[in-house]
Amino acid sequence: MSQNWSSKETKSQNQPVAAGQKRTRNDEGNKVTVVLGAQWGDEGKGKVVDLLATEADIICRCQGGNNAGHTVVVDGKEYDFHLLPSGIINTKGISLIGNGVVIHLPGLFEEGDKNEKKGLKGWEKRLIVSDRAHLVFDFHQVVDGLQETERQAQEGKNIGTTKKGIGPAYSSKASRIGLRVCDLLGDFNDFSTRFKNLIHHYQSMYPSLKVDVDDQLKKLKDFAERLRPMVRDGVYYMYEALHGPPKKILVEGANAALLDIDFGTYPFVTSSNCTVGGVCTGLGIPPVNIGDVFGVSKAYTTRVGIGAFPTEQLNAVGELLQTRGHEVGVTTGRKRRCGWLDLVILKYAHMINGFTAVALTKLDILDVLDEIKVGVAYKLNGKRIPHFPANMDILHKVEVEYETFPGWKTDTSAARKWNDLPAKAQNYIRFIENHIGVPIKWVGVGKSRECMIQMF
Ligand code: GDP
Ligand code: IMO
Ligand code: MG
């Protein structure tokens, strides 16, 4: 499976560059392989990461927090990961939570302990946490809920966040009042003062916010000691990994392109960059070290939470996709909204991320349909529009132009290679590939590791 990796093994990569000498393209170091969501999340990133992580030396998260919910099925056992990289299952690899991630410490330890009970051994020894990562506190999660209530009251609709405190924690970070892992592990008196100031800041906005400060500080002090052995300077760690001996380094994107704070369906988005730029800022690595970028897309589309969804099917097709696809959120247990595949959004996600290949998951869910539609363009007032619109009023109004394919009406779940797939399914896949202009490298036909057809 080594053709999956983009680590660059050039002879000069480990040589230091002499003073005054210019670095050349040959001494850039190892490349990281990136897995990113290409739709509105839950595309099956965890499964793709798991597939690659069996060979990885380092598996990194670079953004988001425990709003993510990534499922991995190994030997019939299902694991869900929220803050821990899904690759932590690989006992030979090191997992890293980068500076761009926002960490809720109770959530992190609860997740690790829960998975340990399922058989995940020694995860704490294999986890590195960046000292620059920001912390999500319990009150950030309460504020997340209060903000949702406020949105509902003021605008008649909320975002439908996961209530994991992601927005408030990234706001604290951007307001320069947030607290980082290095602050927690430094002078605790200083940390306590800043923690109280932060609470005060939120209480001035939300007078109903109650926090038991002493209890919180006591818990945080205990967490700090459990966390301390895992904490490193992430920038230096990554630099050494990139410029040391050849290594296979994997980055697991959380959330997805259409939920990106800059490029997603704002304001119905999350609060981080879930596109490729977030890999550089969330790990402290240069763009030149980005190798393959694998986009993950379902063979149809889903969305959790509120916001425009042009190909949504509020009918029997949507219901079938929801029930057959078990489309229920891993983090919140909410039903996912379902619709046809939308190639306008996939092309847009590709423009931003520069996918080198795509993993198309859940093809098997379409097995029973008589016909299958794919959105190929948007029209406004009867005329095709050339862009994916930034304005949500426009996105709500677009009409979708569809291409219709006959269903293959055959069980694909046992297919293990391209030739095992019915011709009509092959036709569907080739159409998607040609339309977005990116090769499809994997096709998913079931939950487990083996149910991934590798095309090249
Ligand atoms: P992630 O957030 O992108 O990692 O995706 P989730 O884990 O939230 O949701 C994807 C769901 O689809 C999980 O329940 C996976 O086990 C499941 N899944 C992934 N790939 C396939 C596939 O090819 N076929 C089927 N039937 N299920 C899949
Ligand atoms: P994975 O990594 C699906 C959605 C939420 C909400 C919006 C903002 O599993 O694909 P937030 O709590 O981040 O402030 O919520 O973003 N959302 C996701 N939807 N999969 C995810 O992650 C998501 N992460 C956030 O439902 O609409
Ligand atoms: Mg998910």
Side-chain angles (χ1 to χ4, degrees):
M1 227 198 257
S2 30
Q3 71 269 36
N4 291 332
W5 291 89
S6 49
S7 54
K8 199 172 166 201
E9 298 167 18
T10 55
K11 27 177 213 311
S12 55
Q13 72 182 12
N14 304 326
Q15 306 295 316
V17 177
Q21 197 186 327
K22 230 177 135 197
R23 270 200 182 278
T24 69
R25 288 252 149 196
N26 283 337
D27 48 45
E28 289 151 1
N30 293 314
K31 302 269 186 194
V32 302
T33 297
V34 182
V35 175
L36 296 174
Q39 299 170 305
W40 275 287
D42 306 322
E43 298 90 349
K45 297 175 290 292
K47 186 179 160 195
V48 176
V49 165
D50 172 59
L51 203 71
L52 292 162
T54 53
E55 291 194 347
D57 299 299
I58 305 173
I59 307 105
C60 317
R61 276 280 304 270
C62 62
Q63 44 70 230
N66 55 357
N67 52 350
H70 298 177
T71 317
V72 176
V73 182
V74 186
D75 298 332
K77 225 187 249 181
E78 190 159 317
Y79 299 85
D80 54 299
F81 295 105
H82 302 269
L83 261 164
L84 288 171
S86 307
I88 194 114
I89 281 205
N90 166 13
T91 51
K92 291 192 271 330
I94 292 290
S95 286
L96 181 136
I97 297 182
N99 58 279
V101 177
V102 286
I103 308 174
H104 181 246
L105 290 173
L108 176 70
F109 289 116
E110 192 186 308
E111 179 182 336
D113 293 342
K114 188 185 87 183
N115 282 304
E116 187 152 331
K117 285 198 189 106
K118 278 194 192 169
L120 178 74
K121 295 279 175 263
W123 65 274
E124 289 188 60
K125 295 212 165 52
R126 289 184 280 110
L127 181 67
I128 290 179
V129 176
S130 165
D131 54 357
R132 289 183 175 80
H134 275 253
L135 295 169
V136 180
F137 299 112
D138 289 348
F139 66 81
H140 280 128
Q141 301 194 335
V142 178
V143 169
D144 199 344
L146 292 171
Q147 290 178 336
E148 283 285 78
T149 310
E150 196 173 72
R151 286 180 195 113
Q152 186 70 46
Q154 288 172 354
E155 294 165 38
K157 58 176 182 268
N158 54 28
I159 293 175
T161 74
T162 58
K163 299 197 181 150
K164 296 291 178 187
I166 306 300
Y170 277 115
S171 307
S172 299
K173 174 177 175 175
S175 308
R176 278 90 27 106
I177 52 173
L179 284 156
R180 299 182 294 169
V181 166
C182 57
D183 302 318
L184 177 65
L185 300 192
D187 182 314
F188 199 73
N189 283 334
D190 187 36
F191 175 84
S192 304
T193 307
R194 290 175 60 193
F195 182 75
K196 286 175 195 163
N197 290 343
L198 187 57
I199 294 171
H200 184 71
H201 167 83
Y202 280 108
Q203 281 177 330
S204 62
M205 286 191 280
Y206 301 100
S208 66
L209 178 67
K210 299 271 179 292
V211 183
D212 184 340
V213 179
D214 292 338
D215 179 63
Q216 286 285 303
L217 284 171
K218 187 182 165 303
K219 286 182 177 147
L220 283 162
K221 202 167 186 183
D222 291 344
F223 283 133
E225 292 322 307
R226 193 167 171 194
L227 187 69
R228 198 178 291 280
M230 305 174 205
V231 177
R232 300 275 179 87
D233 186 312
V235 174
Y236 284 80
Y237 184 85
M238 286 306 291
Y239 186 84
E240 278 157 27
L242 292 172
H243 297 282
K247 279 207 163 56
K248 292 188 168 82
I249 306 171
L250 185 61
V251 183
E252 172 175 356
N255 328 126
L258 274 291
L259 292 171
D260 182 285
I261 182 85
D262 282 281
F263 305 111
T265 44
Y266 191 91
F268 302 99
V269 292
T270 189
S271 303
S272 68
N273 282 118
C274 333
T275 46
V276 71
V279 176
C280 293
T281 56
L283 291 170
I285 65 169
V288 77
N289 291 103
I290 306 270
D292 275 317
V293 181
F294 297 136
V296 188
S297 169
K298 281 179 191 167
Y300 50 97
T301 310
T302 63
R303 178 165 197 176
V304 204
I306 316 295
F309 179 176
T311 61
E312 182 171 21
Q313 296 299 299
L314 295 167
N315 52 30
V317 170
E319 273 167 38
L320 181 133
L321 294 172
Q322 199 278 321
T323 43
R324 238 184 101 71
H326 304 288
E327 295 296 354
V328 176
V330 181
T331 303
T332 57
R334 289 177 291 177
K335 271 191 183 178
R336 296 173 182 147
R337 300 154 64 195
C338 296
W340 298 119
L341 185 65
D342 183 340
L343 295 182
V344 179
I345 73 167
L346 279 195
K347 269 184 151 177
Y348 173 71
H350 173 49
M351 286 169 73
I352 300 160
N353 290 314
F355 297 135
T356 50
V358 163
L360 189 74
T361 60
K362 302 190 102 163
L363 185 82
D364 53 304
I365 304 305
L366 306 181
D367 286 351
V368 295
L369 289 164
D370 293 328
E371 60 174 33
I372 297 162
K373 291 189 180 189
V374 181
V376 291
Y378 293 163
K379 283 202 239 167
L380 194 65
N381 304 324
K383 272 202 188 134
R384 268 195 179 200
I385 55 169
H387 302 128
F388 179 78
N391 183 307
M392 287 307 105
D393 288 341
I394 296 179
L395 192 63
H396 272 293
K397 284 186 197 137
V398 297
E399 232 183 281
V400 182
E401 200 176 298
Y402 289 101
E403 194 79 30
T404 305
F405 293 83
W408 42 91
K409 309 273 279 175
T410 311
D411 180 0
T412 58
S413 64
R416 294 294 173 265
K417 48 186 194 310
W418 175 249
N419 288 338
D420 295 339
L421 288 173
K424 284 176 182 158
Q426 291 180 343
N427 195 26
Y428 180 70
I429 295 164
R430 288 298 180 217
F431 178 84
I432 297 164
E433 192 171 58
N434 290 335
H435 195 92
I436 51 176
V438 184
I440 292 180
K441 192 173 171 70
W442 294 279
V443 177
V445 291
K447 280 186 163 221
S448 59
R449 257 185 206 168
E450 321 70 80
C451 299
M452 205 61 156
I453 299 170
Q454 179 147 355
M455 315 270 275
F456 59 91

